[in-house]
Amino acid sequence: MIEVNNGAFTSISVDILVRNEKVGSISGVLVNRQIIPDGMFLSAMDGHSHEMQMVASAVFEPSMGRTKLISLRDGGDVYDKDILYIESIHVHDQYKVNGNSDLGAYAIRKLLRCDMIKGKRGIWWGVSVCIYILDPPEAMAKEVKKEYEANSEKIGWSMYREEEESLETKLERDAIKERRQKMSKYYARIDANQFLRNGFYQDPAVAKDVDSFIIIVAEKQWKSPLRSHSQATKVKFFTPEEVKSPVGKDAEILTLTKRMCREDMEDVAGQKRASLYRIDVSCLLSGGGSLARSHALHAACAINDVFIAKCILEMDASTLESRDILNVTPLMMAASVMAGKANNQGFPRHHPIIDTLLEAGASTDAMDSDGLTAYGTFKSYHKRSQRNIQAMMGEAVSERRVPGIDTLERKLMPSGGPTAADQSCGEGVDQGY
């Protein structure tokens, strides 16, 4: 085991031996959270590498590096212990024929149970959480990996030549891209087995986002008995569909929605506008467009047009819990807009967009990629808005209660109470544990 110390980060490299012959290796980084200055955790992780920044954003709050996942907290992750990020695990092809995970699983188990990781015998490292980003090519045989890399290269080059391509070439590129995505998901699942056998898992708050390849485990969880390969293969694995920006008719619907929306409460004008919108959008829907895919309800909530929002909900109820490219629901969008509505007298007494969404059954428990619910989104944006106003006025930053905020907080409160990210307003100042 080789250690290279660099402040809060220690790189490690471990050889995997079979009968004293090297047949693989594991590399990783140990992170000492206590050495990183307060408020600098995300910056420090970002400064180390893109992968570490990705892990930090998905799993930890940005200020101190405390976990924002209930599953890790319950599994034994604590702030005064350290993080192990496994960068890579490589096993010779002969030991992973037909997806065999025995050698990799035993090697990971040995690593997690070694004295340095457990913090025993006077060694100052003591790890309470381990993280890995699945690496599909590592689970591939050489010939499959060559095809995968060739497809990646074709997709990469075509990005710079799209305007020159014929329709046939574009269709071929899209087919290659789709095949590559399928291969990526399939082999990522195979790569996961050696980790699943050691108690690793996907957390729903992370897996629902594009970070579905991140798997995690806490100290109590990796101490459970090693699972068999067959048990690992039966674990359901979540790979979300990629949320894309609207194109074609969907993009036309989004453009129409933005053009038709107005922030006014005039009933006659609003109802007339909604009627015209219904006629125009129906033509686009008949041509294959979708209100859900177009993120039309998000646009109506962003512009605060309750009439168009009601029209969209009447035409397609599935838009209520739809997600945009930032993994945000319409209720979260409406909450963020309302957060900026406070003036000297406080917040508006009426909240028509939020009330419309809640009456339609919008979930207050839904979370975004950072673990924020609509309640947390509102608190976060309001806090930022107040700081900006106080800075412009030359006032000292303070946490004063704005009139009307209690009503909004009650409406947006999740059924199980605020999440850890909600309580910290996404900043990690107070996790509420």
Side-chain angles (χ1 to χ4, degrees), residues 314-335:
E314 288 170 3
M315 297 182 75
D316 186 352
S318 71
T319 58
L320 186 63
E321 298 297 340
S322 61
R323 301 270 179 163
D324 66 4
I325 58 174
L326 298 177
N327 199 34
V328 167
T329 66
L331 183 61
M332 294 174 195
M333 178 66 73

Side-chain angles (χ1 to χ4, degrees), residues 161-293:
R161 304 174 59 183
E162 287 190 14
E163 293 182 1
E164 306 171 14
E165 289 179 342
S166 63
L167 178 60
E168 292 78 8
T169 306
K170 288 182 179 180
L171 291 173
E172 182 184 358
R173 185 195 71 229
D174 290 343
I176 292 172
K177 186 176 180 180
E178 185 177 354
R179 172 162 171 71
R180 183 184 177 278
Q181 288 174 341
K182 288 181 178 178
M183 290 175 69
S184 181
K185 290 179 181 180
Y186 176 77
Y187 284 101
R189 181 62 185 81
I190 293 176
D191 186 40
N193 287 332
Q194 56 196 335
F195 289 90
L196 297 176
R197 294 178 66 178
N198 282 285
F200 281 73
Y201 60 93
Q202 291 177 306
D203 186 280
V206 177
K208 70 184 180 183
D209 189 27
V210 292
D211 299 324
S212 62
F213 281 7
I214 292 179
I215 56 176
I216 55 178
V217 68
E219 188 175 10
K220 293 178 184 176
Q221 296 157 339
W222 75 58
K223 289 181 178 178
S224 58
L226 187 69
R227 294 176 179 176
S228 68
H229 179 78
S230 60
Q231 287 175 317
T233 59
K234 292 176 183 177
V235 175
K236 291 184 178 180
F237 218 66
F238 179 73
T239 52
E241 293 298 322
E242 182 183 1
V243 180
K244 301 178 182 178
S245 298
V247 295
K249 293 295 181 184
D250 297 338
E252 291 183 43
I253 291 174
L254 181 59
T255 301
L256 171 66
T257 305
K258 291 178 179 178
R259 190 176 72 244
M260 295 289 287
C261 283
R262 301 283 185 278
E263 186 177 1
D264 66 57
M265 296 296 111
E266 179 61 44
D267 283 354
V268 176
Q271 289 170 4
K272 182 179 180 181
R273 194 170 63 254
S275 297
L276 293 172
Y277 175 79
R278 186 187 293 270
I279 294 169
D280 290 346
V281 83
S282 294
C283 295
L284 295 173
L285 292 174
S286 63
S290 164
L291 283 167
R293 290 196 307 265

Side-chain angles (χ1 to χ4, degrees), residues 25-68:
S25 62
I26 301 176
S27 64
V29 181
L30 288 158
V31 184
N32 187 331
R33 285 181 270 198
Q34 295 77 49
I35 292 180
I36 299 174
D38 292 355
M40 296 296 292
F41 179 78
L42 182 57
S43 297
M45 297 287 274
D46 186 31
H48 184 277
S49 66
H50 169 70
E51 290 76 18
M52 293 290 266
Q53 186 273 339
M54 181 175 167
V55 164
S57 299
V59 181
F60 304 101
E61 51 79 26
S63 178
M64 305 285 286
R66 299 184 183 94
T67 180
K68 62 184 181 183

Side-chain angles (χ1 to χ4, degrees), residues 128-145:
S128 64
V129 59
C130 184
I131 302 166
Y132 176 68
I133 300 176
L134 297 174
D135 182 13
E138 183 52 45
M140 299 175 184
K142 287 183 179 179
E143 293 305 315
V144 178
K145 189 182 294 187

